[in-house]
Amino acid sequence: AITTAGISNTGIVNYRGDGTISSTVGASGMGIKELNINTNSDQNTTAGVTENGNIFAGNINLKNSGTLTIADNADLQATTTAETNVAAGDDTGTFVTTTTDATGTLTFNGTSTVTGVVGSASNLAIGTINAGVASETVTFNKMVYANAVAHSGTGTIVFNEGLDTTKRSVSYTTLGQIAFTANDGLVQIASGKDLIGNVTATNGNGTLTMIGGTQSITGDVGATGAAIKVLNIGGTNSTLGIDNSANAYSTTTINGNVFALDTVFNNDGTTNNSTLNMVADKSITSTITTTDNGMGILNMQGGTQTVTGTVGTNGMRLDQVNSGVAGASTTFTANVFADTVTNTANGSSTFN
């Protein structure tokens, strides 16, 4: 084991290149100050440095595009930085950092929890997070700033404070992505938290669940010919990750186009609808369904918009479909089943 004697958040470990750490780094309440990865730019393997135990540290720094691979059932625990007395696990601090924007890789080979902020809102996003091993869950308890999240398996990735894929030093409008590869994985964004970034898939794979509360997605979900499998508005009570409530309804606003095989309104089953707001000039190509007859609200918010796909079914109608705000033109290409369909102002709603 690598430990620090007597005083927490002291001691620096530099890994010059590739290697394996076979035991725990630091200890609960007695973390080291820094673990620096690839300090000499000597990494030549995909795994980089492999850590087989928990890491307790004030800072993990991915230098020179370094890679840190975390074994199954190993966690990354942020500890208090002695110099500032600011907990790295708080939203005001940073835990996993990089020296160059959109570089550095974290790879998870199983189930892990990361308790501190990954990347930096004011400085640098890390490059890539690889996760999603089958039957495993990676949970980020604080905000994550990463240019890319590669979901390569059928497992679950949980963002408890949200995900921002913006390349910080390039432009706040340059988005990265969550990429579902060939497998059907799951990403969950916790209640009241947001996703900034595009979501990509190979075609018809990958599920994105917006768990509840008031949430937003800034970026496209899927693409033409490469739709994701399911976009859940509200939790499904699947018991996977943090999806464990039958009452987790969501109001999600999407500032991007949506391409999904199915977009599902998961309501609380009694009085509270899940709501999807499509920002002006953004369209949705997806079947839209609800888990509760007469529940779920779709708002098309303006500009030129198209809904390509059946909305509701004869036996499972939505509560409301609202379109036609001032100056808007909304086109529905398939049947619409809802208790109320409203052209809300002097815009047009066309049903083909």
Side-chain angles (χ1 to χ4, degrees):
I2 300 173
T3 62
T4 181
I7 302 175
S8 182
N9 291 284
T10 59
I12 297 173
V13 176
N14 294 325
Y15 242 87
R16 296 162 63 95
D18 298 313
T20 299
I21 305 174
S22 299
S23 59
T24 298
V25 175
S28 180
M30 290 293 287
I32 68 169
K33 180 182 177 183
E34 295 176 16
L35 173 62
N36 295 309
I37 302 299
N38 200 30
T39 57
N40 278 35
S41 298
D42 288 339
Q43 286 191 351
N44 297 306
T45 66
T46 302
V49 173
T50 298
E51 169 57 57
N52 289 324
N54 297 327
I55 297 176
F56 300 87
N59 177 233
I60 299 170
N61 195 351
L62 306 174
K63 293 178 174 290
N64 304 309
S65 300
T67 297
L68 175 62
T69 298
I70 309 301
D72 187 21
N73 295 317
D75 297 328
L76 304 183
Q77 301 279 342
T79 55
T80 302
T81 303
E83 290 82 355
T84 61
N85 200 32
V86 174
D90 290 346
D91 290 329
T92 54
T94 55
F95 176 39
V96 181
T97 59
T98 181
T99 53
T100 303
D101 185 48
T103 65
T105 300
L106 278 179
T107 297
F108 295 90
N109 284 341
T111 291
S112 296
T113 298
V114 182
T115 66
V117 177
V118 176
S120 171
S122 59
N123 190 10
L124 303 168
I126 71 166
T128 302
I129 294 170
N130 298 308
V133 173
S135 302
E136 307 287 352
T137 300
V138 174
T139 302
F140 295 91
N141 283 341
K142 294 297 182 180
M143 189 65 193
V144 174
Y145 302 92
N147 186 51
V149 176
H151 197 311
S152 58
T154 58
T156 302
I157 307 175
V158 176
F159 296 96
N160 274 323
E161 289 292 334
L163 170 66
D164 184 349
T165 69
T166 308
K167 293 182 179 180
R168 316 307 299 186
S169 65
V170 178
S171 168
Y172 281 101
T173 61
T174 303
L175 297 179
Q177 64 185 9
I178 298 173
F180 290 106
T181 56
N183 297 301
D184 189 21
L186 172 63
V187 169
Q188 298 171 341
I189 308 296
S191 180
K193 306 305 177 182
D194 304 320
L195 166 62
I196 302 175
N198 299 313
V199 181
T200 66
T202 54
N203 191 23
N205 63 295
T207 295
L208 173 64
T209 299
M210 308 300 287
I211 290 291
T214 300
Q215 304 182 271
S216 66
I217 301 172
T218 302
D220 292 334
V221 177
T224 302
I228 70 168
K229 182 179 180 180
V230 179
L231 170 61
N232 284 309
I233 308 300
T236 69
N237 197 26
S238 67
T239 72
L240 295 172
I242 57 173
D243 191 359
N244 53 18
S245 172
N247 300 316
Y249 58 95
S250 173
T251 297
T252 298
T253 299
I254 301 181
N255 188 4
N257 296 307
V258 173
F259 300 85
L261 299 187
D262 196 11
T263 298
V264 184
F265 288 98
N266 299 294
N267 316 282
D268 73 354
T270 54
T271 58
N272 293 300
N273 289 294
S274 280
T275 300
L276 172 58
N277 300 316
M278 294 297 299
V279 168
D281 295 312
K282 303 301 180 182
S283 297
I284 179 167
T285 301
S286 174
T287 297
I288 301 173
T289 60
T290 180
T291 56
D292 305 284
N293 189 32
M295 300 193 74
I297 299 172
L298 174 63
N299 294 319
M300 307 301 292
Q301 294 188 320
T304 301
Q305 299 180 286
T306 302
V307 180
T308 303
T310 302
V311 179
T313 66
N314 190 41
M316 293 289 281
R317 297 168 176 265
L318 271 60
D319 179 18
Q320 301 174 32
V321 174
N322 300 307
S323 58
V325 302
S329 174
T330 304
T331 301
F332 296 86
T333 67
N335 291 332
V336 175
F337 299 89
D339 289 343
T340 304
V341 178
T342 304
N343 197 82
T344 58
N346 63 2
S348 67
S349 299
T350 302
F351 298 89
N352 289 332

